[in-house]
Amino acid sequence: MTTSHPYANRTAKHFDGIEFDEALIHKYNRQGPRYTSYPTALEFVSMADGVEAKILSTRNPATPLSLYFHIPFCRHLCYYCGCNKIITKKNSDAGDYLDYLFAEIRHKKSLLQGNSIVKQLHLGGGTPTFFSDDELVRLWQFLQAEFTFAPDGDYSIEIDPRELRDTTLQTLRNLGFNRLSFGVQDLDETVQIAVNRVQPLPLIQSVMADARRLGFDSINIDLIYGLPHQRVDGMRRTIDEIIKLSPDRLSVFNYAHLPERFTAQRRINEADLPSPSDKLTMFGNIIHALSDAGYQYIGIDHFAKPSDEMAIAQRDGKLHRNFQGYAILGDCDLLGFGVSAISQIGAHITQNPTALADYQAVIGDGKLPAVKHIQSEPKDELRRHIIMNLLCHDYMNFGYLRERFGIEPTQVFADEIANLHDMAADGLVQVDDDGISILPKGRILGRNVAMVFDEYLSQKHAGRFSKVI
């Protein structure tokens, strides 16, 4: 019989260890999904009439809610961006968009049974602080009237330091937001100019100081390596300055240059990009610098202080992944609102229209907005459990699979285990009677280990992913 938390605290130092082995990275680095879901978003099909209403009306009201709101507007175009964002300076756009959000919220809320507790909320985009302070208050008050919020919930928002009013952070804190996330990407002015995101270090320092003073529980900073004009020494200076700022979490992303897919990236001169060798050196330096500074490597580009709730959740075996990335509350159904927003309810994943005009049209007609759908099968639940625990906890426990799914994993996954032979020989993973463990050399390549268990992964998706590094 396994313990109730087989993924918790397996070894005292497991999450302190990460090794950067350049030769092994070169050997195994290949394109693959980021696994914010399984099946991944590439398996979406068209949504049939009436399906979204049935999903919402039959949802288990005992399951808490996580709410996501997609705010697509930005005032500036970042050239590295690969997202569906709308660049505008018209403040009226935000007010109009709020009305559509409210209509969607009312419609979905009218179909939900019971009174589920909201334990998590996130405003993403785009730039949610494109909304004025008054609009942020209006949205929050509307949500308070529609939903019941847990007093100790996780309420976060993405901000742009360049667009904050003097009162915005105080307004957000007064409303109940307790987490902030914002992009820095690089502190070198030449790089900032090349990607059209100029924000000097004193501005970042001021935002961090104000957020600390106001008592935000956790602050995340985004960095990107592989941008135009980035150099190894310059990126090292950036990471040293960021460490001085002491963010609670860091997301360090690999820039994938795909101008054929993302229009904004066509403004970047490919000749200005760092070489693959320099890019790999940058990432290695970041790994070493953050590890030396005491940050815990969470996985897939994410780091956190050991005292942060994300790091604690990982050590306790309670970390999860969803379309917002790593999440500390995995017992929630995710309800997404707004253009392109994704919901995850039980075995169902749905997505709203990705074009603003299409979203506005369907909401204006009084219809539910989802246009894409995935309904996972029992076999998907099994593989989802394996993939997500490999990515969240670097471990797959055979005993737990026997208990929960009634299978003999060494037989059901005999081919997959055999396919891990080379990784085991290279010291990336260990396979024993207890299960499969990702070792310190393999933690950076966790996605490659997870891909072994993805039965949807095939040539039909070639070219749709970025490489691990």
Side-chain angles (χ1 to χ4, degrees):
M1 184 69 69
T2 63
T3 63
S4 56
H5 294 289
Y7 299 100
N9 296 312
R10 294 187 296 110
T11 61
K13 295 184 178 180
H14 176 71
F15 294 116
D16 294 333
I18 178 172
E19 295 183 25
F20 185 86
D21 190 310
E22 187 170 337
L24 291 178
I25 291 172
H26 279 298
K27 179 176 179 179
Y28 290 102
N29 189 22
R30 66 185 183 96
Q31 294 181 341
R34 295 181 63 82
Y35 293 114
T36 50
S37 70
Y38 184 83
T40 70
L42 292 179
E43 307 307 323
F44 271 127
V45 297
S46 296
M47 189 82 161
D49 291 342
V51 173
E52 185 175 14
K54 184 177 180 180
I55 293 170
L56 292 168
S57 62
T58 58
R59 194 195 79 89
N60 182 1
T63 303
L65 289 172
S66 174
L67 307 181
Y68 172 75
F69 300 88
H70 187 77
I71 315 303
F73 305 108
C74 291
R75 297 189 189 278
H76 311 278
L77 176 66
C78 299
Y79 297 161
Y80 55 78
C81 187
C83 299
N84 181 28
K85 297 178 181 178
I86 298 167
I87 309 302
T88 178
K89 298 185 184 299
K90 295 190 297 181
N91 292 330
S92 60
D93 288 341
D96 292 344
Y97 188 71
L98 267 182
D99 293 335
Y100 286 99
L101 275 182
F102 291 167
E104 181 186 1
I105 293 165
R106 288 191 189 99
H107 196 165
K108 288 183 174 179
K109 181 65 165 54
S110 71
L111 295 169
L112 298 178
Q113 303 298 311
N115 185 30
S116 302
I117 299 295
V118 174
K119 296 176 66 174
Q120 194 167 42
L121 176 146
H122 183 68
L123 266 63
T127 306
T129 48
F130 183 91
F131 284 155
S132 69
D133 292 0
D134 287 344
E135 286 165 336
L136 289 166
V137 171
R138 182 181 167 211
L139 172 60
W140 190 262
Q141 290 176 341
F142 179 87
L143 295 174
Q144 291 290 320
E146 291 289 329
F147 296 97
T148 301
F149 285 78
D152 58 347
D154 183 63
Y155 308 127
S156 60
I157 184 171
E158 297 171 22
I159 64 172
D160 186 333
R162 300 168 299 173
E163 298 177 14
L164 293 176
R165 282 79 58 186
D166 290 342
T167 55
T168 301
L169 288 182
Q170 181 69 70
T171 297
L172 293 172
R173 192 71 188 100
N174 290 346
L175 291 175
F177 285 92
N178 48 28
R179 298 188 187 279
L180 296 177
S181 180
F182 62 93
V184 171
Q185 321 315 353
D186 194 299
L187 291 172
D188 187 284
E189 185 179 17
T190 302
V191 177
Q192 292 182 352
I193 292 172
V195 299
N196 198 37
R197 190 183 179 100
V198 178
Q199 45 187 22
L201 177 59
L203 172 62
I204 305 302
Q205 291 170 327
S206 175
V207 171
M208 287 291 292
D210 287 346
R212 293 294 187 204
R213 175 180 55 81
L214 292 168
F216 283 92
D217 296 337
S218 184
I219 302 171
N220 177 83
I221 284 180
D222 293 344
L223 300 174
I224 299 178
Y225 64 97
L227 294 174
H229 297 294
Q230 273 184 335
R231 299 293 180 262
V232 171
D233 56 347
M235 192 62 195
R236 183 56 195 257
R237 286 193 294 272
T238 287
I239 196 66
D240 287 345
E241 290 293 345
I242 295 299
I243 288 172
K244 292 177 185 176
L245 293 175
S246 193
D248 303 280
R249 302 176 187 176
L250 285 126
S251 303
V252 186
F253 297 108
N254 164 26
Y255 172 66
H257 189 59
L258 300 169
E260 67 282 1
R261 287 179 57 191
F262 304 123
T263 304
Q265 294 185 0
R266 296 170 192 171
R267 304 192 185 204
I268 289 177
N269 184 357
E270 191 166 351
D272 295 333
L273 297 175
S275 69
S277 176
D278 281 354
K279 191 175 176 181
L280 188 58
T281 299
M282 288 180 205
F283 186 59
N285 289 345
I286 291 168
I287 291 279
H288 291 135
L290 292 177
S291 296
D292 290 346
Y295 283 88
Q296 180 173 311
Y297 178 69
I298 303 297
I300 309 188
D301 313 324
H302 283 66
F303 300 79
K305 289 181 177 179
S307 57
D308 187 85
E309 285 187 324
M310 181 174 287
I312 294 170
Q314 184 176 57
R315 296 195 302 271
D316 288 348
K318 298 177 181 179
L319 192 63
H320 300 266
R321 280 185 69 75
N322 60 24
F323 279 98
Q324 297 172 33
Y326 285 104
I328 60 175
L329 298 172
D331 59 339
C332 299
D333 281 337
L334 173 63
L335 274 183
F337 300 91
V339 60
S340 79
I342 291 175
S343 299
Q344 292 174 288
I345 302 172
H348 301 275
I349 304 172
T350 65
Q351 184 176 27
N352 288 354
T354 56
L356 180 60
D358 293 340
Y359 170 75
Q360 291 173 324
V362 71
I363 296 296
D365 287 341
K367 299 176 181 178
L368 289 169
V371 293
K372 296 179 182 179
H373 178 221
I374 298 171
Q375 181 172 357
S376 60
E377 302 175 16
K379 65 183 180 69
D380 296 323
E381 182 185 357
L382 169 61
R383 289 180 180 269
R384 181 190 308 116
H385 175 87
I386 293 169
I387 289 170
M388 296 307 175
N389 277 289
L390 286 172
L391 293 175
C392 292
H393 305 116
D394 298 315
Y395 185 49
M396 182 184 81
N397 181 269
F398 289 154
Y400 187 80
L401 295 183
R402 294 185 187 104
E403 269 186 28
R404 176 169 173 175
F405 297 99
I407 64 165
E408 177 44 58
T410 58
Q411 296 176 6
V412 173
F413 297 106
D415 290 343
E416 287 85 350
I417 292 171
N419 288 338
L420 291 173
H421 180 268
D422 285 352
M423 290 185 182
D426 284 332
L428 273 64
V429 301
Q430 175 181 303
V431 182
D432 56 27
D433 291 342
D434 291 331
I436 297 171
S437 299
I438 300 178
L439 303 176
K441 282 186 181 179
R443 297 195 70 205
I444 296 173
L445 295 162
R447 282 165 62 191
N448 298 85
V449 181
M451 282 190 279
V452 172
F453 294 89
D454 183 350
E455 66 177 357
Y456 291 94
L457 199 59
S458 66
Q459 281 301 112
K460 72 175 181 176
H461 296 320
R464 297 296 303 275
F465 308 115
S466 63
K467 286 190 175 183
V468 173
I469 296 169

